[in-house]
Amino acid sequence: MCVFWPQKRRAENYSCCQKKAPAIILTDERKVEIDTAIIGAYKSETLKQFYNSSENKTVWGNLKKRTYVLSQLQNSDKLGLDPEDYKASQLQKFEKRIGSLSDTDLATYDILLTYNFEKYLNHLFKGKLDPKTIYTDWDLDEKVFDVNDVLIKAFNKNKLDSIVDNIQPKSETYKELLKALEIINTFPDENIDKITTDSLTKK
């Protein structure tokens, strides 16, 4: 359901992701050094820039911040997205062992939180589908979203909860789709058997 929504004027409020990300303010919670090779394995320049801003240290030591991110990803189905696109179950397993994670596992967990939360934010702002692969006559400019800038500023100000509301589409069509999805989600799940051709129906 989460598709590309034209928001040209809103997109202009976000600068191009080419600029250097702001520094991340780290707190006193447990943090470890992250091997840059692990970050590089994700082949994401955005992720690399994010951890450059923390001097390649883990950032998600604060329980309240982690809980917010985990909650957003786990409940992304309410916005027409699939929680497992953002490794929600895997992240919950890490969280349950947070007190006993090795330095390596803690670094892995931290990277997964960042990578998947930024992926989620990008999907909310831009949509999951590329309209140019669907419509041959799509002529709107691509929406620009500096996810590092938005996330780090909210992170530093302890205002993560403001991000999702601010970046979601504001169109009435989008709001109506969310209302329709809410109704659909109240319907009971039913397992429908695959229709097969047997001796009685075969002609």
Side-chain angles (χ1 to χ4, degrees):
M1 189 194 95
C2 193
V3 295
F4 186 98
W5 290 95
Q7 293 172 286
K8 190 172 181 180
R9 285 186 296 176
R10 292 184 63 230
E12 291 171 356
N13 294 327
Y14 298 93
S15 53
C16 180
C17 54
Q18 302 262 337
K19 72 175 186 179
K20 182 179 179 181
I24 298 174
I25 300 174
L26 298 177
T27 51
D28 294 332
E29 291 90 352
R30 179 189 174 194
K31 48 186 170 289
V32 300
E33 297 278 349
I34 300 177
D35 186 343
T36 55
I38 299 176
I39 299 172
Y42 286 79
K43 301 185 185 304
S44 168
E45 186 63 26
T46 300
L47 190 68
K48 180 180 176 181
Q49 290 177 1
F50 180 91
Y51 282 105
N52 281 342
S53 296
S54 72
E55 298 181 340
N56 293 318
K57 295 183 177 68
T58 54
V59 303
W60 297 103
N62 182 275
L63 174 60
K64 184 178 179 180
K65 290 177 178 177
R66 288 199 315 275
T67 300
Y68 174 76
V69 172
L70 291 169
S71 174
Q72 285 295 315
L73 301 185
Q74 188 65 46
N75 294 305
S76 60
D77 57 334
K78 295 179 181 178
L79 299 178
L81 299 167
D82 183 355
E84 291 314 306
D85 282 347
Y86 314 105
K87 310 295 184 186
S89 297
Q90 182 182 3
L91 292 172
Q92 290 289 352
K93 290 178 181 178
F94 272 110
E95 182 62 29
K96 290 178 180 178
R97 300 188 295 117
I98 189 66
S100 60
L101 291 177
S102 66
D103 286 358
T104 300
D105 285 344
L106 184 63
T108 298
Y109 181 30
D110 204 272
I111 293 171
L112 284 171
L113 277 171
T114 303
Y115 181 82
N116 285 287
F117 190 49
E118 291 200 333
K119 180 181 179 182
Y120 168 70
L121 295 178
N122 271 305
H123 284 168
L124 280 183
F125 186 81
K126 297 182 178 182
K128 288 181 65 175
L129 303 179
D130 180 356
K132 292 182 179 179
T133 64
I134 301 174
Y135 305 104
T136 58
D137 57 349
W138 188 270
D139 196 32
L140 290 178
D141 294 336
E142 181 179 355
K143 295 163 63 179
V144 179
F145 179 48
D146 187 343
V147 67
N148 276 340
D149 186 69
V150 172
L151 175 55
I152 293 173
K153 286 180 178 178
F155 181 98
N156 288 342
K157 294 177 181 178
N158 293 314
K159 292 185 177 180
L160 286 177
D161 56 353
S162 68
I163 300 179
V164 171
D165 287 339
N166 287 341
I167 68 173
Q168 283 188 83
K170 306 302 181 186
S171 72
E172 287 303 315
T173 302
Y174 180 78
K175 293 176 182 178
E176 290 299 320
L177 283 172
L178 290 184
K179 289 179 183 178
L181 179 62
E182 187 176 352
I183 294 172
I184 291 172
N185 285 339
T186 64
F187 296 166
D189 292 330
E190 296 182 357
N191 293 323
I192 301 176
D193 293 334
K194 182 178 179 181
I195 298 176
T196 59
T197 303
D198 57 22
S199 58
L200 295 178
T201 61
K202 188 174 181 180
K203 295 181 179 180

